[in-house]
Each structure stands twice: as structure tokens, then as C-alpha cells.
Amino acid sequence: MNELRKNLEEYLSIRRNLGFKLQRAGKLLPDFVLFAEKEGASFITVELALRWATQSLGCQKAWSAARLGIIRGFAQYQSVIDPRTEVPPYELLPYRYHRRPPYIYSNDEVKKLIKAAQQLQSPLGFRAATYSTAFGLLAVSGMRISEPIGLNHKDVDLMHGIITVHQSRFGKSRLIPIHSSTQKALRKYEILRDKIFPKPQTESFFISEQGTRLTHWTVRNTFVKLSRQIGLRGPHDSDGPRLHDFRHSFATKTLLDWYRKGMNVDQHMPELSAYLGHARVSDTYWYLSAVPELLQLAAMRLEQTQKGRLP
């Protein structure tokens, strides 16, 4: 094992012990070290890092910048050990992230998607139940797609209507209360799942037709096909409404409902932030500027407050 590969293992181990998951870096950095080995390089240079970061054909600027940023972190660590190391400067491949405006699903669009999922064909007839129930849960809970996929049996308490999300993004865990209608839908799915798979290969709550845990890619691919089928995307569109937009839709509709009811949104915002598992309340406030109607309602509320019409 060469020194660069050995030091990478130490670097990843140290950061993981500090609580970082390193899902992306854990895959990309070994690939970079393999690239360096093939190039006959024993230490990191700016030129080497830049070539690796931009080597993919059609690679977008944002992705190249992200790849280089991952190398930069490792290079900073490596520079303490090997003084020959060159750390890529921050101004190299500059990219400023532009947060994508959310797509807000209408209730009719959600119903069409679930109905289309209910018609999915499979040998056991179980695929339709899995995807229609999973998409329904995303729509009514505001969960990230990784969260329902990561649920185990013990995390779904249908007796008390509580879902427990363990160690999600930012390493946070949280409890998600669900409506009685959602409990009923999940219970229906649970009964069917246990009937078809009395001894599944996984503890996952949602499982595939093969009895294994769902993956992000299979769920996303199924969603894309269904969204094209019901007209959310064009027949060959690669861009369009995303699974993550279920989360945006949930947050936005909750805020709209609060404003329309005349509730003190500022007072309740921490509740929504905690429910969604946001690291900062400011992440939840982003929806005010992202959705024009919300921004308008917030401005009207501010104007009324300034005029003394509200306490």
C-alpha cells in the first residue's frame, strides 16, 4: 500500500470518528487515489487534482467544483504529512450554488401519481403497493426520500402513529407524528407485505418485489417513468419535478395554511423546522422567498403588523 492510499484511510477514519458520514467523499477519494496511482503520482498536485475533477465528459461546473472541493479537504490534511502536497486554491473552478426553486405539487397531481403507481405490474403484484404507499408517505410527511427507504419495522409505530427517523441528514434523529389516515394506509401495506414476505431478507419497512430494501436509484427511476406517464415531465425529459419536491410541497402548503388561518407563523416556524429535520430555522424560512404566494402573504402580514392591526 502506497503512502497516499494509507494516509487517505487515516483521513477518512478520523473524519468518520468525528461524526461525518462522508458518503460522497468516501467513494470519490479512493477513485482519485487510484487515478493518481495510474498516473504514477505519489503526492497531490493542483494539476493532478484538476485533471481528475474535470475528467468526466459533459461534467457540469457544479460537479467539477464539488469534486475538486473534496480533493482540497484531503490535500489540506495531506500537506501536514507531506510538504510536497499542493492544495488546490479556492478560486480554481469557482462555482456559486444556486438553490433550485421548488416545484409545488397540486393535490390532483399527487393523486395521479399514486394512482399510476397502483397500476405498476410485477410478478407478485407487490410493486404497486410498495411505490404507491411510499409516494403517499412522502407527500403527507415531508420526509426526504432517504428516510422512508431507511425505515425499519421497529421505526414505524402504527399503534401510536409515530415514525422514528434515525440519524438522517446532519446526524439528527426525530419523531414524525402521522395522521390516522396515513396509519391506516401503512397498516394495509404492512399486512400485505407480511403476507407475501413472511420472512423477508431485510428489516426494512418498505421492500422490493425481491424482498430487499429499496434503493434511491430504483425509486427515482420508477418515479421518473411515472411522472412522464402522467404528464409531469415530457416523454424524454431528464429534468422536471423531483422526489424532493414532495418535501418542498409539504412545507409550503403548511406555511400557506398557517398564513391563511391568521396564525403567528414566526412562533410556529421552529415546530415545522423540527418536524422537517432542518439544521437551522433559516432553512425553513427559505420557502417564503422561494414561493411567490408565500412571500406575498408574509409581506401583507408584516404590513398589517406595522399598522398595528395585529398584536
Side-chain angles (χ1 to χ4, degrees):
M1 180 184 297
N2 66 27
E3 285 299 312
L4 196 60
R5 184 172 294 276
K6 176 184 176 182
N7 292 340
L8 172 61
E9 291 185 0
E10 293 176 352
Y11 169 73
L12 294 175
S13 177
I14 290 171
R15 296 206 68 199
R16 283 175 175 140
N17 287 335
L18 290 173
F20 294 95
K21 292 186 177 180
L22 303 180
Q23 293 177 344
R24 180 182 291 180
K27 294 179 180 179
L28 292 180
L29 285 174
D31 183 71
F32 168 72
V33 170
L34 179 62
F35 176 80
E37 290 172 347
K38 290 179 178 179
E39 293 292 310
S42 58
F43 59 95
I44 301 172
T45 66
V46 171
E47 187 273 336
L48 182 72
L50 186 60
R51 277 198 292 124
W52 177 83
T54 59
Q55 67 178 340
S56 299
L57 292 176
C59 189
Q60 297 181 352
K61 291 182 179 179
W63 182 233
S64 294
R67 285 163 63 90
L68 189 63
I70 289 172
I71 296 300
R72 184 180 296 113
F74 176 46
Q76 289 169 338
Y77 169 84
Q78 182 71 5
S79 64
V80 178
I81 302 170
D82 187 346
R84 298 176 298 171
T85 303
E86 298 177 5
V87 179
Y90 284 95
E91 60 271 17
L92 189 63
L93 294 185
Y95 177 79
R96 184 173 182 180
Y97 173 68
H98 297 282
R99 199 168 184 180
R100 180 176 176 176
Y103 181 88
I104 308 303
Y105 292 101
S106 68
N107 292 337
D108 186 55
E109 288 171 335
V110 173
K111 290 177 182 178
K112 285 183 178 179
L113 181 68
I114 292 176
K115 185 176 181 180
Q118 290 171 337
Q119 297 170 357
L120 287 169
Q121 300 296 313
S122 62
L124 298 178
F126 184 65
R127 186 165 174 249
T130 295
Y131 282 98
S132 61
T133 307
F135 291 151
L137 180 60
L138 285 174
V140 301
S141 69
M143 297 172 76
R144 303 177 180 93
I145 181 56
S146 60
E147 294 172 345
I149 289 176
L151 291 175
N152 289 330
H153 296 273
K154 60 182 177 60
D155 302 325
V156 184
D157 182 354
L158 297 179
M159 178 71 69
H160 300 96
I162 298 290
I163 291 176
T164 303
V165 175
H166 295 283
Q167 296 294 307
S168 187
R169 194 176 179 187
F170 309 112
K172 298 177 66 176
S173 299
R174 69 187 192 281
L175 302 178
I176 300 179
I178 55 175
H179 191 268
S180 58
S181 59
T182 305
Q183 290 176 248
K184 184 177 179 180
L186 293 177
R187 180 57 182 159
K188 181 179 179 181
Y189 173 77
E190 185 180 57
I191 291 172
L192 179 62
R193 180 202 65 205
D194 293 347
K195 179 180 179 181
I196 297 177
F197 296 100
K199 295 182 179 180
Q201 305 172 37
T202 174
E203 286 297 311
S204 177
F205 183 84
F206 288 106
I207 59 177
S208 69
E209 185 86 2
Q210 292 72 40
T212 58
R213 188 181 295 273
L214 298 175
T215 68
H216 178 275
W217 296 111
T218 55
V219 175
R220 181 186 181 280
N221 288 339
T222 301
F223 166 75
V224 169
K225 290 178 182 177
L226 292 177
S227 63
R228 288 171 176 167
Q229 179 181 321
I230 65 175
L232 280 173
R233 297 174 181 231
H236 306 290
D237 287 351
S238 57
D239 292 326
R242 305 161 299 171
L243 283 167
H244 199 67
D245 287 318
F246 281 119
R247 181 171 169 83
H248 293 320
S249 298
F250 175 85
T252 299
K253 289 176 181 178
T254 299
L255 289 171
L256 282 171
D257 184 56
W258 286 353
Y259 273 113
R260 289 167 179 163
K261 290 180 178 178
M263 295 172 60
N264 187 327
V265 174
D266 287 340
Q267 182 178 349
H268 291 279
M269 190 68 84
E271 299 171 11
L272 179 59
S273 184
Y275 188 91
L276 292 172
H278 280 155
R280 301 176 298 272
V281 177
S282 59
D283 291 337
T284 313
Y285 271 106
W286 174 75
Y287 292 103
L288 296 180
S289 60
V291 180
E293 185 179 358
L294 271 176
L295 187 61
Q296 182 182 18
L297 287 170
M300 290 172 59
R301 178 62 59 85
L302 178 61
E303 182 180 359
Q304 291 172 345
T305 302
Q306 292 174 339
K307 291 180 178 179
R309 296 178 185 175
L310 293 174

